[in-house]
Amino acid sequence: MSSSIEIKRQAYGKAKVRVTKAIRHTAEWNDIVELTCQVLLEGDFETAYTKADNSMVVPTDTVRNTCYIIAKKSDHVQTIERYGYELGKHFVDRYPHVTHANVHIVQSRWARINVNGEPHPHSFYRDGSETRQTWLTVTANNVSIKSGLEGLLVLKTTGSSFTNFHLCENTTLQDADDRIFSTTVKAHYNINTSTGVENIPFDRIFDGSKPPCTVWLS
C-alpha cells in the first residue's frame, strides 16, 4: 500500500527585521521612522520540501536585505502601507515563481522634542508604547490591506460603572457606580484598494482611528 503527501499551502520568509531610517529633509531638519518587518513568501517552492531542491528558494537573507534596500530607496517609508506594498510588489515582480508576498509591518512611535517651546529639528523621544501596524498580501494583480493600531493605553478617572451583573454563590464583587477605568485599545480596519494604493490617504485613515472618539468619551 503506497501513500502520498500533498502540500496544500506553505509560506516562509524573514521576521523581526528592524528597519530604522533617518529622513534628511535638510542638514538640520530630519524625521525618523522605526519599523519591524516580516515578509512571508508563497509560490512554487514544493521541490524544496519534497526533493531537497533549493533552486527556487529566495534565501531569507535576501528577504532581509531587500527590506533594507527598498526602505533606502523608498520615498514612502513613513506611510507603512505604501512601503509594505513596494516591498511585496518587489518580490512578486522580481521572482515569477512567487505568487503571494505577505507583509506585516509594526511602526514604533517617535515624537519630536520641544526645546524652548519649539520643535527640535532632529531630536526625538518615545512618547507612547502603542504601535501602528499593517498587514498586506500582494499578488501580481491584487493587494489586500488591513491596518490599525495596537497597545494604546487609555484611562478614565470617572464616568464608568459596573452594576447589575450576574450573581451566583461565587460572586463577591460589589456594585460600583463610579470607578477609574483603564484598558488597552486594539483597532483594526480593512482598506478598499480598488482606487489604487497611491490614491489612498493611509495616514489620514490611521489618524481617524485614534482618540478622541465618541465611544470612549461617552
Side-chain angles (χ1 to χ4, degrees):
M1 180 177 179
S2 63
S3 63
S4 62
I5 298 175
E6 179 181 355
I7 298 176
K8 288 293 187 180
R9 184 178 180 185
Q10 57 76 37
Y12 81 97
K14 193 72 172 177
K16 298 183 179 179
V17 180
R18 299 290 296 275
V19 175
T20 302
K21 182 176 182 179
I23 302 167
R24 307 187 188 281
H25 304 287
T26 67
E28 283 291 306
W29 191 267
N30 298 170
D31 279 317
I32 188 74
V33 61
E34 179 187 343
L35 311 175
T36 303
C37 304
Q38 173 182 279
V39 179
L40 300 179
L41 305 179
E42 299 180 52
D44 184 16
F45 302 111
E46 183 173 343
T47 56
Y49 300 94
T50 60
K51 298 181 180 180
D53 178 3
N54 293 325
S55 60
M56 302 296 283
V57 174
V58 182
T60 58
D61 179 77
T62 302
V63 175
R64 181 196 62 212
N65 291 342
T66 302
C67 293
Y68 299 146
I69 293 167
I70 299 296
K72 181 177 178 62
K73 294 179 178 180
S74 177
D75 294 326
H76 305 290
V77 177
Q78 288 176 286
T79 302
I80 57 176
E81 292 87 355
R82 293 288 299 273
Y83 168 59
Y85 177 68
E86 291 175 352
L87 196 54
K89 197 76 165 63
H90 168 86
F91 285 106
V92 297
D93 288 349
R94 175 64 178 80
Y95 307 102
H97 60 289
V98 173
T99 59
H100 298 71
N102 303 290
V103 181
H104 177 210
I105 300 175
V106 179
Q107 181 177 8
S108 300
R109 288 182 60 89
W110 285 108
R112 201 173 294 277
I113 295 175
N114 284 326
V115 178
N116 297 323
E118 298 292 334
H120 196 273
H122 53 256
S123 297
F124 304 85
Y125 72 105
R126 179 68 51 82
D127 69 334
S129 59
E130 70 270 21
T131 58
R132 177 176 176 176
Q133 302 198 25
T134 190
W135 296 258
L136 304 93
T137 297
V138 183
T139 68
N141 301 310
N142 189 44
V143 56
S144 63
I145 303 176
K146 180 178 76 172
S147 293
L149 63 83
E150 294 194 6
L152 177 63
L153 186 64
V154 292
L155 180 146
K156 295 172 65 172
T157 58
T158 189
S160 174
S161 67
F162 188 58
T163 61
N164 301 318
F165 42 81
H166 186 275
L167 300 174
C168 71
E169 66 276 11
N170 296 324
T171 304
T172 59
L173 184 67
Q174 301 298 308
D175 283 355
D177 294 321
D178 191 22
R179 62 178 184 165
I180 293 175
F181 180 73
S182 181
T183 190
T184 301
V185 176
K186 177 193 291 185
H188 293 167
Y189 46 86
N190 295 315
I191 297 175
N192 184 346
T193 60
S194 61
T195 60
V197 171
E198 65 281 355
N199 298 316
I200 300 172
F202 293 108
D203 295 333
R204 193 171 74 217
I205 295 171
F206 174 73
D207 288 340
S209 71
K210 299 182 294 184
C213 63
T214 55
V215 173
W216 176 251
L217 295 178
S218 63

